[in-house]
Structures are given as C-alpha cells and as structure tokens.
Amino acid sequence: MVSERFPVTLTINGQKIVRDVEPRTLLVHFLRDDLNLTGTHVGCDTSQCGTCTILLNNQAVKSCTILTVQADGAEIVTVEGLEREHLHPVQQAFWEKHGLQCGFCTPGAMMLAAYLINQEGPLTEEAIRRQLDGLLCRCTGYENIVRAIKRAQEIIEEGDKERSQETAQSTWG
Amino acid sequence: MMKKEVIEMAQVIGQPLKRQEDIRLIRGQGQYTDDIKLPGMLYAYILRSPYAHAKILSIDTTVAKTMPGVVAIFTGNDLKDEVGLIPTAWIPPDSDLHVPPHPALAYDTVRYQGDGVAVIIAESPYQAQDAAFKISVQYKPLPVVTDPRDAVQDQAPLVHSEIAHNIAFHWRAGDNLDDIFSQADVVVKQQFRQQRLIPSAMEPRCAVADYHGATGELTLWATTQNPHIHRLLMSGILGISEHKLRVIAIDVGGAFGSKISCYPDEVIVSWASQKLHRPVKWTETRQENFLVTTHGRDHVEEVELAGTRDGHIQAVRVKVYANMGAYLSTAAPGVPTILFGLIINGAYKIAHASSEVFGVLTHTTPVDAYRGAGRPEATFLIERMVDLYALAIQMDPLDVRKKNLIRPDEFPFTNPFGLEYDSGNYQATLDKALQIFNYEEFRRDQENLRKQGKYIGVGFSTYVEMCGLGPSEVAGAVGFQGGLWESATVRVHPTGKVSVFTGASPHGQGEETTFAQIVAEELGIPIEDIEVIHGDTAQIAMGWGTYGSRTTAVGGAAIHMANQKVIEKARKIAAHKLEVNEDDVVFDKGVFMVKGLPARSIQFQQVALDAYLAWNLPPGIEPALEGTAFYNPKNFTYPFGVHIAVVSVDTDTGDITLMRYIAVDDVGKIINPMIVEGQVHGGLVQGIGQALWEGAEFDNQGQLITGSFLDYTVPKARFFPRFETAHTETPSPHNPLGVKGVGETGAIASTPAIVNAVMDALRPFNIFDLPMPLTPHKVWNAIRQAQLSS
C-alpha cells in the first residue's frame, strides 16, 4: 500500500496551498475532499464527461486525469474562483441563456467556456459545438450552452467597449 | 368556500425569468449528495459480481479485513436476516405478477454482472477500494440468458428457479381483434426492437447515511427523485419508523427516471451506519452507473396494423417481450404495461387496439423508468407503423396522419383502452409545424438531389403522451403502490416573505423558479421574496416526487390551492382592518382594496405582519398566515405536438447528418417559456440519441460491453443543428393552472421522427426498417446489401 506522502504547493483560486498528499490522489479528489472545493464534480472514470474541468495554468484540464503531485507548482482556478466582484461573464451568460439544468456538468462546462472565450477572436456557433467535444451534458441538449458561450463573448466585448470608453473619457477629462 | 374572482395577471406567469436555483449552481455551491461530508464519516465500496449468473461458493475476507483503514466488511449473509428485500412497488392488476426476491447483497446466487456480493467500509474511499481487491470470491459460473425471447423458451436457464419460463408477469389490454385483422383490406406487420438505453445522468448515484444511536434516527442523503417514497420503502426494508427516518435530496444531478428506484446501495449504507454508529457514504463510479443503475426501454415488439386502402387506420395490436432484467425494479412492471400498453393508438382515432406484454426476467441489469417511460416506446410503435402503412397503400405519410388525427371537437377523447385525453388541437400544431417547414419544397429538393446521388429524408412524428401522473384512485386501480397527489405549504413570514414547501422533488428542471412564479403571480409579491423548499422529508410532511412530468401539473396545482387558502385568510384579516365586509374586499397585485374605493387598501405584507402580531384579528381567526393543500388531480394530462426531422444519409459511409429539427409542442399553459424550451431541447437530444447512437449491449455471457462513455455514445454538441422550436397553448381542464407537462415530450416524439426520416431517405434502396440505433455501420451495410441484390 502507498502510504508515503509528498508535499505539494499550488495556487488555487489565488490562494497558496501547501499540503502533503498520497501520490495517487487525483487532483479532483484533492480539490473536493481535502480542500472542500466541492463545485468541481466527478462524472465518470474515463475522462469523457468533463464535469471536473478546471483551469490549470490557464488551460482547461480534466482534474480527474491528473495526479495532485503532477500539478505541483501550478496555478489553478476552479468554479469557486471564477467570480470576483461580479459574476464572471461565463456565469452571467449561463444564467441568462439557461445554459444549465441540473447544474452537475455546469462547473466543468463553465470552466471550459472560460477557456474558450479567452481564445483569439470570437468563436462561431459551429466552432463552439466542435470545441465542446470534451463535455457531456444530459440535460440541456447543448443548445443553450452554445448560446451561453456566444453570450459570454458578447459580455466581454461589451465590457471591453465600456472600459475603452471609460479610458477615453478619462483621457479627455 | 373560496371566492371566485378574476385576478389580473401580474405578468409573472408566462415570463422567461432567469432561474432562481442557478445562483447557487453557477457558483459551485450546489448541495449534491457527494458534497456531503460529516465528521467521522466512513466510505463504502461495494464489491460486485463479474459474472452475469453464478453460484457464490465462498467469500474470503481474511486479508482484506487487515488492510489499513478497514473498519468492517459485510457480505450478503450478514445482511440477509437483518434487512428486508428490495421491493417492487408497481403491481399491475390481472398480470399474474411474481416478484422475485431481491436481497440487498446477493448471498447465494448472482444474477447479473454488477450484483453486489460484499461491502467494504473504510476510513477513506481509496482504502475501501484497496481492501476490495484483496477479497477472494469463488464463483461457479452458470448458464446465462439475456434476450427476452430466448428467456421464455423451455430450455432457457431460469433467472429465479421459482419463476417458470422467466415470465414475471403477463398482461393484456383491449379486445380480441382477430376478426378485424382477418377482414381488413390492408394489414401491415413489423417487428421492432426498442433497444436498451442507459440513462447516464451526469451525477452518479450517491448515498450518505447517518444513524444516531441515542435518538434512533437515521438521516439518509440520497440521489433520489422521490425522497418520501424512499422513506416509505426504506422504513419497511430497515424496520425504522418513518418518523425516525429522514431522506434528503436537495440538488440532484439529473435522473431521467433512473433515480426513482429504491436501490440496494442505499439500504446497505443505511444498515451499515446503524451497525457501526458512524456516518457512511457510498458514491457510485461511472462504471457502476453503467452496470447497476437501472436501464430503460428494451422491448421486442410484434406489431400489426389494419387499415383501409384509402388510409383509415382501423386497428393496431402488439405483442411485447419486455426485458425486465434480473429483478423487478421499483416501478418497472408499470412501464411496459400501464404507461405503454394503454396508449399505442397515439394521437389517432383508431377504433380498436390491443396490447399483450410478457415481462421477462434475464441475466441483465434491471430496467425501470427512463425519460418518457413507456410512452416513447408506444409513440415509436405507432409512428413507425403509420409510415409503413402509408408505404403499403402508396399514400403520403403526412396525409395518413391528417386523415386519422383526433379532431379538436372530439375532446375529451376516450381512446380504445379507456384513457380520456383531456384537451387538444392536433391540427393546430401540425399547421404551425408546416408553416416552419415547407413540405412541397422539401419533396422537390429531395427528388432533385436523388438524381445527383444525394439522399435526404423527412420524418414526421405526431404524438400525444400522458403525464401529470395522478389521480391517486387511478394509481391504486393500476397497481401503483402509492398515491399520486401532491402537497404544498405556502408559509408567509411576518415580513411578507414566503417559504413554499413542495412534496414534488425537482432535480434540475427549474421548478424552484416555476413554483416561485406561481406564488409571485397569485400573491402579488416579488419573486425574490419567495423561497421554494423541496427534497427533505423532515421539512415536508408528504409528497410523491418528480417523474412522469407531473411536478407542475400536480405539485404546481397544489401550490395554487395553498395560495388560495392564504388569500382567503388574508382577506378576512384585511377586511377586519379596513372595517368592511369581507365580500367588499378585492385582492389585486398584492393589495387588498375596498371595492370602488381603491384608496382604502392594505398591502399583503402588512396583512402578513398583522396576522403574526395578532393584536387585532377578526373573531375566530387564528394567528399566523399559511396555507397547506393536498391536491389530487382529476386525471392525467395529455401534451401533444408535431416533430419534423430532416436528415441526409451519406451512402458511401452510412453517416447520418441531422439537417433540421422542428418541434412544435403543446404542453398546456406555459409558466416559464425559457424553462419549457430547455426541457424540450434536453428531451430531443435523448430521443435522437436513441434513434442514432445509444444502445446497451450484452454479450452472450451477459457481460455489458457498452460499459463506459467510451463504448456507449452519449450525444455531443456537434451532433446537432440548432433546434427550431415553437408552441401552441391548449390548457388542460384537469388542473387549475391549465398546465400539462413538458419534461418528456422531446424524448417521446423525436425517436420515430428521426427513424422515419432516415427510412424516407433510404426509400430508393428499398430499405423500409432498420433496428436502432442507426449507426453508420448498420446503415452502410443495409445500403450495400440493397445495391448487391438489385
């Protein structure tokens, strides 16, 4: 039996975390069981469903497919870390567009969405459907997830416009 | 008596309001069962049989017991005399039903791959699993049968020795139609296979049991659609009085029927917690979900349809071999009988119909309800038969439908089995669908493309389904061992905020919002002031849960009635305060006003405060303000609609591309159109999944060879075009809200629409039927066969 434990240091949702873990501990179990970050869910054993998706060094990663020790030194964002002062554009968009029903795949879907909208240029509907390949949702029929991701892109654009207007005003002010 | 009055719509009902439950879910603050963590909690791992049928010769736990963290290991022998059998709670009358004994852990014989044989309880889930690998079980494999037609043969191995021919029940409805069929102009015969489906809710099942020795109380957090039914059944199994049992299911990550049943796993952890006086959690892996969470459908159907040459359908009959799996799950016997066999005439005025169903036991995972439960199978049967009949008489399938649809002036309509369809205008949904879809243009395009060697097809599905399950008298008459009424309490707090307690147990469908909209509208208060509480037997006295699209039709109606009780009492208090006769007070948008003197008024919130202060209440009125109602519906409700699918088939690869999907549904009064549309989308994807991709398969040893998401195709986003949805609204006269139910329509209507479309595309090849799912390999093979033989 593996009883030896290894030290890991991670930054999770902006907070530095130092722990000793069993080397076989999957990252998703570490998040859920050790850190009580239960927003990240486990939906399968085969890395198909994507409900456990998190951001690891800004990449969308399935946290059931990575050992905690492998993530040593990484910067991780989970669903609990999306929201700062306001709802994240992705959270806002999923809410507005009814991009969730039972909500179980939703944290993973939103983390994937957060990754996608950070890509260069807005994605077309077809591209979004293709990019959602790592996600299984049994409730929404995906239609509203696609709409939500498009809406999240809009919210960011609107925010950029507002920000650039604010900047322009202060320059002129 | 309640006063009848016209409350002007405050425009909350009918609005696409954002869902209230989403706030916690998008923040990752949902409370799913696996999120529950209790001090001192232990973890269970259930060791399962790798064989579909075997004798258990011995179980050696000696090494496993010494493993780090292991607290206890129990086998079937430890449980069998202390806990009751897993019950079957639907006993269709006159079906000669035999319920095979289903122990929580097998102790003698395992009967399907996944049957539990031992439970390991340890300080951590990893340790429990480690120990499980050190348990040595000696099995003697026995012969296996997985196909229901094979299982009824004389030489077939018996799943349970006491049940002859593996026939757990034999049910019939309708008359003998031999004369009608022998005299008919046209008889169409076809065999259909409703393949087995795996519900695959994204949240695996989970149970956390916490027994307190001092009080004798057991709390069970569980992934269930019906906590009160669970409490009722578990109290019988465990021998704990209901008032000492609390079942909690707050957030449930999808269910689709698979979380109705009472499962062995919940019983095992509950008993273990009692034994060990510590909380015990069991969380299903996805592999276990495939193996042991109930499957759905699985019929072999021999169908006949009789009609005239000019397109009038006279009769339909079916003989079904329904594969029930190794045991009869909680609601399973009711699915192929009551929920399927009584509605095979569909949306058509067919004078004669009969159903005969054999419920057959095999060495496979037990089946139970799966989204639509029985009605998808019935709809598929009649919608495919209509197309095959149209082909036989060389008539357009759309014209056959138009000719046989029940007309609006024929409601309420009694079908050949005696079901009374409440209300409908089937022609209106068809007209609306044909406004969206230009049929003539499609046929022209189809003809032109065929000349270029490109094959597209259209499929129609004109459907009706029964939902809004109640009333309780009918539940009793059809052998459902429970009631189907619903409870609601609307509790107004001193500040005018409201808690609504419902016995329905939504799990993702959005009823926290739907129900809040009903209360906001009727009490005229802000929706933000309303909280909907569900899924906890300690907070809600009784309820029957969410399945069969009953929640808003029955649970919502109960809330409506509770609201009326609140208003009735509040009006008395308001009249007293306004110093007028109660009859002179009108209630509108949250304000009680003296008739003709709108300036003399009092806000609902003020009345709420007065009710609690009780300084000056009218004589005979008790303090506080709340209403409780128990609503027993008059009858089922019957949503209907028309779905149209357009597909193209690549004859080189067998690939099917879904080009368009049009769904026009009538689900009665719509409370939240956004939620309704979302429900339709979800149902469509599951129904289309059955037509094209999904199917559970066992090999001849009973091994589930579609045992993971790698082998069983759950549809993905890129498989679909944008759905085109529309609605008509024909209120149900059966409940005060006029709602019918929407959760299952998409799954019910879409499967035959897709298969009809593919068969339409393949007509030039003289391919008229293929078994689902229509995988590229199957389609390609059929095309090749056709080309070789022509």
Side-chain angles (χ1 to χ4, degrees), chain A residues 31-136:
Chain A
L31 293 171
R32 288 179 53 80
D33 300 337
D34 291 24
L35 304 182
N36 288 321
L37 294 170
T38 54
T40 304
H41 298 145
V42 185
C44 72
D45 334 310
T46 49
S47 302
Q48 306 297 300
C49 77
T51 63
C52 67
T53 303
I54 53 154
L55 296 182
L56 187 142
N57 296 333
N58 292 319
Q59 298 286 311
V61 165
K62 290 175 181 176
S63 60
C64 74
T65 316
I66 185 163
L67 299 167
T68 312
V69 288
Q70 288 177 292
D72 190 21
E75 200 154 314
I76 286 168
V77 184
T78 70
V79 63
E80 291 89 348
L82 272 184
E83 183 178 356
R84 296 294 161 94
E85 280 170 41
H86 304 286
L87 288 177
H88 187 278
V90 159
Q91 290 172 309
Q92 183 66 36
F94 268 68
W95 193 20
E96 276 179 28
K97 293 294 172 188
H98 189 27
L100 62 149
Q101 286 182 26
C102 79
F104 194 77
C105 78
T106 309
M110 291 192 305
M111 299 316 290
L112 177 57
Y115 166 75
L116 291 177
I117 61 171
N118 268 336
Q119 307 301 296
E120 289 287 312
L123 293 164
T124 64
E125 188 169 327
E126 205 198 326
I128 293 170
R129 283 185 186 271
R130 261 201 327 273
Q131 297 273 15
L132 287 176
D133 232 37
L135 173 79
L136 295 178

Side-chain angles (χ1 to χ4, degrees), chain A residues 24 33 43 101-102 133 142, chain B residues 19 32 37 130 286 715 718:
Chain A
R24 62 170 165 175
D33 300 337
Q101 286 182 26
C102 79
D133 232 37
Y142 303 106
Chain B
R19 300 198 323 171
Y32 301 92
K37 199 174 182 182
D130 287 343
R286 181 55 59 179
R718 70 179 152 85

Side-chain angles (χ1 to χ4, degrees), chain B residues 192-195 197 296-299 301 303 318 320 322 335-337 339-341 343-344 367-384 690 747-749 751-752 772:
Chain B
F192 295 122
R193 180 76 207 247
Q194 276 284 333
Q195 82 272 36
L197 300 178
R297 317 276 193 263
D298 208 348
H299 290 183
E301 300 169 352
V303 196
V318 63
V320 179
V335 176
T337 53
L339 296 177
F340 161 83
I343 197 166
I344 59 163
V367 300
D368 206 305
Y370 170 56
R371 203 167 189 166
R375 292 142 292 168
E377 296 93 310
T379 304
F380 183 85
L381 176 156
I382 189 65
E383 288 305 293
R384 285 290 297 128
Q690 174 172 14
I748 288 168
T751 315
M772 296 184 288

